[in-house]
Amino acid sequence: MRTWFFLLFAVLFIGCQPDEENVNSIKLAHSLGVNHPVHEAMVHMADLVAEKSKGKLKIEIYPSSQLGSEKQSLELLQIGSLGMTKVSAAVMENFSPDLKVLGYPYLFQDDEHRFKVYDGDIGKKLLSGSEQFWLKGLTYFDAGNRSFYTKDTPIDRPQDLEGLKIRVMQSPTAIEMVKSFGGSPTPISWGELYTSLQQGVVDGAENNLPSFYTSKHYEVCKYFSKNEHSSIPDILVIGTLTWNRLSSQEKDWLMEAVEKATVLQRKLWEIAEEEALTEIEKAGVQVSYPDKELFEDKAKTMLRSLKEENRHLYELVQEIKNIQ
């Protein structure tokens, strides 16, 4: 009931915003802070769209979960009340099952391998898989590598997760992964996580360095264990109802801006990772570098189960691993 009340409110709020005459305005909502490299890249994208269209096409950005969670934003896209959003690929797997593959632990060899997958045929096919649900993926924004962070104890081995409640995204793959390591996965929305950590609802979480820093979770969690178990990108998504309303010229303006924003975002991400590591260490966070093979060995149970339960997805994992 609360979700539908929120949706009704958001529909009325968004739908009543007046647009300037002869200006097509797209509203983009996301859950990240304004200092996050993904937000900065989307601001650049909006500036490029306005410049290329001479103000005829505009993107209005609502950061920091102003219009709701990632799941709520996707629902608003589906009914055409919101134009665009940024969500984790882990959240999108609920709408495009093959995207689950990007959440499997230790899938990529390195960053170069990762970008080959995102920008190649497999990545493009995965982006288009949600169109039947009125959601069109436009690009992948780099979200680096995800690691564990905790309040009271470092995670140096998978056994250290036993008995700990670890926040995960609303993702079956993320839930299964934390279970395979021995932890207790607890799905909580990103916007609620800081308070949940403070109040002890969860003992820790898993995410990338810039998100850990910009969210200020380092104020609560003083242990960051850089085991880099997965590399789940963010996806820029547009509702197909919004996309289909755009003219071919507007689509060209948008996609050109998206491509340039993607290049910028990946550069900003490198800088953000270095800055985040420096700043959290200054703030007293203990950063450790566990033996990744210990975690990778545990994660192999997921692949063995996948081979039996979903042959298609298992073969997709193997195809990605074999890309040179």
Side-chain angles (χ1 to χ4, degrees), residues 127-180:
L127 281 180
S128 65
S130 58
E131 291 184 27
Q132 61 181 314
F133 297 105
W134 306 288
L135 302 168
K136 179 180 177 63
L138 297 180
T139 192
Y140 298 99
F141 287 136
D142 188 15
N145 300 300
R146 301 177 73 90
S147 296
F148 289 110
Y149 55 90
T150 46
K151 294 174 62 177
D152 301 318
T153 181
I155 307 300
D156 294 325
R157 307 168 301 158
Q159 295 93 316
D160 294 333
L161 286 162
E162 292 178 5
L164 298 185
K165 293 174 289 184
I166 302 296
R167 178 267 177 182
V168 295
M169 296 175 283
Q170 295 281 351
S171 158
T173 307
I175 291 170
E176 186 181 355
M177 180 194 67
V178 171
K179 283 183 179 178
S180 76

Side-chain angles (χ1 to χ4, degrees), residues 265-284:
Q265 189 272 336
R266 292 177 185 177
K267 292 177 181 177
L268 292 174
W269 188 265
E270 289 184 30
I271 298 169
E273 283 192 325
E274 294 174 3
E275 177 188 3
L277 183 58
T278 299
E279 293 302 318
I280 65 171
E281 287 180 329
K282 284 182 182 177

Side-chain angles (χ1 to χ4, degrees), residues 16 21-22 24 36 64-65 75 112 124 142 158 168 172 188 206 209 211 222 240 250 267 277 294 317:
C16 292
E21 188 176 358
N22 299 321
N24 193 355
H36 197 283
S64 305
S65 300
E75 290 170 346
E112 182 182 358
K124 292 174 184 175
D142 188 15
V168 295
I188 294 174
E206 52 90 41
L209 270 168
S211 294
K222 293 302 181 181
T240 56
E250 289 172 328
K267 292 177 181 177
L277 183 58
L294 297 175
V317 169

Side-chain angles (χ1 to χ4, degrees), residues 290-308:
D291 183 351
K292 296 179 186 179
E293 289 187 4
L294 297 175
F295 293 86
E296 191 169 1
D297 285 343
K298 281 282 188 179
K300 288 177 181 176
T301 60
M302 288 181 65
L303 281 181
R304 287 195 289 268
S305 298
L306 186 64
K307 187 175 183 179
E308 298 176 0

Side-chain angles (χ1 to χ4, degrees), residues 221-233:
C221 294
K222 293 302 181 181
Y223 298 93
F224 191 95
S225 304
K226 212 166 181 286
N227 69 309
E228 299 183 329
H229 49 258
S230 62
S231 307
I232 305 174

Side-chain angles (χ1 to χ4, degrees), residues 204-227:
E206 52 90 41
N207 214 318
N208 53 61
L209 270 168
S211 294
F212 176 63
Y213 173 56
T214 58
S215 64
K216 297 188 177 181
H217 290 173
Y218 64 87
E219 294 177 347
V220 185
C221 294
K222 293 302 181 181
Y223 298 93
F224 191 95
S225 304
K226 212 166 181 286
N227 69 309

Side-chain angles (χ1 to χ4, degrees), residues 74 77-78 85 87-89 91-100 122-140 235-241:
L74 287 173
L77 258 65
Q78 289 177 307
T85 191
V87 298
S88 169
V91 176
M92 279 293 287
E93 74 182 49
N94 294 299
F95 300 92
S96 181
D98 280 359
L99 277 169
K100 290 179 182 179
I122 291 178
K124 292 174 184 175
K125 186 175 180 180
L126 291 174
L127 281 180
S128 65
S130 58
E131 291 184 27
Q132 61 181 314
F133 297 105
W134 306 288
L135 302 168
K136 179 180 177 63
L138 297 180
T139 192
Y140 298 99
I235 297 180
L236 182 65
V237 186
I238 188 170
T240 56
L241 292 174

